[in-house]
Amino acid sequence: MPPVSARLPVFPWDRLEPYKATAAAHPDGIVDLSVGTPVDPVPELIRTALADAADSPGYPTVWGTPALRDALTGWVERRLGAEGVTHTQVLPVVGSKELVASLPAQLGLGPGDKVAFPRLAYPTYEVGARLAGAEPVPYDEPTELDPAGLKLLWLNSPSNPTGRVLSKDELRAAVAWARAHGVLLVSDECYLELGWEADPMSVLHPEISGGSFDGLVAVHSLSKRSNLAGYRAAFLAGDESVLGELLKIRKHGGMIVPAPVQAATVAALGDDKHVAEQRERYEARRAALRGALEGYGFRVEYSEASLYLWATRDEPCWDTVGALAGLGILVAPGEFYGAAGGAHVRVAFTATDERVAAAVRRLTA
């Protein structure tokens, strides 16, 4: 049998290694702004909840504890503006990347089916389609897609990598189009709580959904808003018929969020203070890096939300990566997110205050 990995593109991050070595040779050390991984401490109340649940010798359930489901439904209502959310409309998952990569296969998609995603996008949307044997279809405008064979439509707002936020009208149009053509719409909203110059909305908000979750699923993660990337804590909310089917499949596959992580998720979703504090950290880092990049000759586009600045000097992205590596600053080439990103770089502002300050000094020297 041919290896499944033969269906997949080359893992892009390996191509960044020579530039990482160049940046690491800087006398003051590397400033790694390439991967948006949290660097700040996990909030104390979350660590306490994790530790208190550490004595968990039995198998947890795939659907999660009632307390977890209460926390998920409560947060979806409070933060996303949805109404009357029930336990059947939420489902914990083992990190959002696992879900994105495996969702087409869990939905039963395969050869002859199509999965659509933004032309500039998180690469795992394409990976998930290819793992299932489905056809990946990048788009510029979802409502202009050919619906023939299309089974899954991904939205991503705020966007990774661009930080673009879809407007109410754009979200409503996408929802109406998907419903009219019988296409499942799944909205990746993992950066929704990190809006800076825009106020991102969920497809589950009544103004977008019309008060019904039919044909809609939203993906959320605690990795960014609560510094829990190492916990692999994420969840789905939306159409109970879709989530019910996924629950059955995930039970058979043993796709279970560990019990201590379930308890930590309850604590994280029940507290808004730590989210506000983390936002303040990111806002300051974002402002410092944006000013320095613009002063250095970059143009920052979109970037009204998320943890990234989408920047360009109107040159091939690898030239930009090389130039910044010479300053000891590592960024991600826009090409990683699709050919349309060939003249941009993605700059994460998840480094520590000290490292961000170092990058600013180098860019403004």
Side-chain angles (χ1 to χ4, degrees):
M1 294 179 63
V4 175
S5 61
R7 304 175 190 170
L8 306 179
V10 175
F11 188 66
W13 292 94
D14 293 341
R15 296 176 59 197
L16 202 57
E17 286 302 313
Y19 300 91
K20 185 175 184 179
T22 297
H26 190 280
D28 187 36
I30 188 173
V31 178
D32 192 343
L33 308 178
S34 63
V35 181
T37 187
V39 297
D40 299 302
V42 174
E44 181 64 33
L45 84 161
I46 300 175
R47 284 184 280 159
T48 298
L50 183 84
D52 288 348
D55 186 14
S56 298
Y59 290 111
T61 65
V62 173
W63 200 14
T65 62
L68 175 58
R69 283 177 262 142
D70 283 344
L72 296 178
T73 57
W75 186 87
V76 169
E77 290 184 347
R78 185 179 82 252
R79 184 61 186 86
L80 304 187
E83 299 171 349
V85 185
T86 67
H87 283 197
T88 58
Q89 295 171 316
V90 293
L91 180 65
V93 295
V94 192
S96 58
K97 184 168 186 174
E98 170 268 316
L99 183 281
V100 172
S102 63
L103 182 60
Q106 290 181 40
L107 292 171
L109 305 190
D113 297 322
K114 297 178 182 178
V115 176
F117 48 84
R119 191 170 302 280
L120 271 171
Y122 184 47
T124 312
Y125 304 132
E126 178 180 356
V127 167
R130 293 187 179 279
L131 284 173
E135 179 185 349
V137 180
Y139 66 77
D140 294 307
E141 168 53 55
T143 60
E144 296 175 358
L145 283 162
D146 179 356
L150 183 61
K151 299 297 177 64
L152 173 58
L153 169 62
W154 282 104
L155 297 185
N156 179 209
S157 175
S159 163
N160 174 14
T162 69
R164 181 189 173 201
V165 174
L166 297 178
S167 69
K168 288 183 184 180
D169 287 344
E170 288 173 312
L171 290 171
R172 277 194 289 257
V175 168
W177 185 91
R179 285 174 168 167
H181 294 286
V183 178
L184 176 65
L185 187 154
V186 182
S187 179
D188 180 347
E189 302 173 353
C190 290
Y191 295 92
L192 186 133
E193 293 199 279
L194 295 164
W196 310 112
E197 296 160 1
D199 186 14
M201 288 186 70
S202 171
V203 295
L204 302 184
H205 192 286
E207 292 184 22
I208 308 301
S209 68
S212 167
F213 288 179
D214 290 350
L216 305 177
V217 174
V219 183
H220 285 272
S221 168
L222 281 75
S223 293
K224 316 299 186 183
R225 48 110 54 204
S226 298
N227 298 333
L228 296 187
Y231 284 46
R232 312 313 303 135
F235 63 93
L236 307 178
D239 191 322
E240 63 182 0
S241 65
V242 176
L243 269 54
E245 178 66 11
L246 292 175
L247 177 58
K248 293 175 184 177
I249 293 165
R250 295 173 72 84
K251 284 180 177 178
H252 281 289
M255 300 174 184
I256 308 172
V257 177
V261 175
Q262 293 190 27
T265 300
V266 173
L269 292 179
D271 178 72
D272 293 331
K273 181 181 177 182
H274 77 275
V275 180
E277 291 173 348
Q278 188 60 44
R279 277 182 54 86
E280 289 179 2
R281 297 185 188 105
Y282 285 141
E283 189 169 20
R285 294 166 186 166
R286 176 182 182 273
L289 280 171
R290 180 167 192 156
L293 287 167
E294 290 175 338
Y296 197 72
F298 281 91
R299 185 175 69 256
V300 175
E301 299 179 347
Y302 299 121
S303 306
E304 59 255 36
S306 83
L307 291 177
Y308 312 107
L309 295 169
W310 187 240
T312 182
R313 294 198 301 184
D314 296 311
E315 64 184 4
C317 60
W318 287 103
D319 291 353
T320 307
V321 171
L324 290 175
L327 297 177
I329 301 169
L330 188 67
V331 298
E335 187 181 280
F336 281 5
Y337 307 94
H344 289 74
V345 292
R346 192 194 74 171
V347 184
F349 43 90
T350 53
T352 63
D353 291 344
E354 185 274 331
R355 287 290 82 189
V356 167
V360 170
R361 287 196 301 272
R362 296 173 197 183
L363 289 165
T364 56

